Amino acid sequence: MQIDFPRQWHDRLSQEFEKPYFARLQQYVDAEREAHEVYPSEYDVFRAFQLSDFPATRVLLLGQDPYHDSGQAHGLCFSVSAGVTLPPSLKNIFRERQTDLGLGIPLSGDLGSWASQGILMLNTVLTVRAHEANSHKGKGWETFTDAAIRLLSVRAEPMVFVLWGAHAQKKRDLIDACRHAIIESAHPSPLSARNGFFGSRPFSRINAALRGFGQPEIDWRLPDDAS
């Protein structure tokens, strides 16, 4: 497993790379790639960190594990590679964005332009075996991503943590709610979107919180938004 991090993240997480759990995790993922198809590619496993280095991160959007069907996962939670059919959760995210901001439904589900504005689009588990959801759960990724969440929580600059669904909300205890904004709702999955995600207006709420911190808003438009 390749470890390719921007310097600011690498300097702060280097102690995690030296711990026994991370060595076991590396061995596990490498063995999985030898025996099975694993997503995302090894070059995209840490893409969320690559697109939003530590000092640039203003928002954490927390997902669970990568999409597990062919061609979908590319290292950003909820996002899919250009040309891939939109998964149901992402369709619902775009529906809520339309309601919240009046933007059309885009043709592509690649959310890289959001990540490049300082949104760390992080799954709690960073790899998955093809067509087997949660197959890499409990192998060590959660320890690593918890460390990243704690790092963001203790830094001086305030930011916004977005927790959609019960899984993400379990990480609330890792976050200093006195200094940071926490935005919670139901998950955008079709199983729960109508029970609190639709109508939650997360995009405008994130921007309102950033304004309150004296920071620039996120431009939620995507390159190929439909009119």
Side-chain angles (χ1 to χ4, degrees):
M1 183 168 64
Q2 294 192 352
I3 301 175
D4 184 12
F5 270 71
R7 181 180 60 82
Q8 296 273 12
W9 275 117
H10 192 280
D11 290 350
R12 289 167 172 81
L13 289 171
S14 58
Q15 60 183 352
E16 298 299 313
F17 304 146
E18 298 167 2
K19 292 179 179 178
Y21 87 86
F22 198 85
R24 292 192 297 270
L25 174 61
Q26 282 186 289
Q27 292 170 0
Y28 173 78
V29 174
D30 288 344
E32 282 284 284
R33 289 196 188 277
E34 286 288 327
H36 307 280
E37 191 168 7
V38 171
Y39 303 132
S41 76
E42 62 180 329
Y43 304 104
D44 284 336
V45 170
F46 298 112
R47 187 163 179 251
F49 296 97
Q50 293 162 1
L51 291 184
S52 185
D53 200 0
F54 184 81
T57 298
R58 301 184 288 139
V59 178
L60 171 66
L61 177 57
L62 197 61
Q64 190 164 352
D65 73 334
Y67 293 123
H68 55 82
D69 285 336
S70 301
Q72 292 181 314
H74 65 158
L76 304 176
C77 69
F78 298 108
S79 180
V80 293
S81 300
V84 174
T85 300
L86 301 181
S89 292
L90 186 53
K91 286 182 181 178
N92 287 339
I93 290 169
F94 288 153
R95 285 180 60 187
E96 181 60 21
R97 189 187 69 140
Q98 187 175 45
T99 300
D100 191 1
L101 304 177
L103 298 173
I105 304 298
L107 302 175
S108 169
D110 187 341
L111 306 181
S113 65
W114 293 357
S116 64
Q117 296 179 71
I119 303 180
L120 181 64
M121 305 184 68
L122 185 67
N123 284 309
T124 56
V125 174
L126 299 187
T127 56
V128 67
R129 188 186 297 180
H131 316 301
E132 296 184 35
N134 293 314
S135 49
H136 287 186
K137 180 181 177 180
K139 303 300 183 181
W141 280 127
E142 296 92 339
T143 302
F144 178 75
T145 53
D146 280 0
I149 296 169
R150 289 190 184 96
L151 277 174
L152 291 168
S153 179
V154 301
R155 73 178 196 169
E157 299 85 355
M159 58 175 289
V160 184
F161 291 80
V162 183
L163 309 178
W164 287 339
H167 177 83
Q169 289 159 16
K170 289 177 182 177
K171 305 298 181 179
R172 201 181 205 283
D173 291 345
L174 304 177
I175 303 164
D176 183 351
C178 295
R179 294 192 301 112
H180 303 291
I182 301 176
I183 293 176
E184 298 179 280
S185 76
H187 194 276
S189 161
L191 297 175
S192 56
R194 296 187 183 279
N195 296 321
F197 179 74
F198 289 144
S200 64
R201 307 185 74 87
F203 307 98
S204 57
R205 290 168 66 196
I206 291 167
N207 279 349
L210 291 173
R211 288 196 304 272
F213 295 146
Q215 298 178 22
E217 297 183 359
I218 301 296
D219 182 355
W220 295 108
R221 294 173 297 177
L222 292 166
D224 60 355
D225 277 335
S227 59

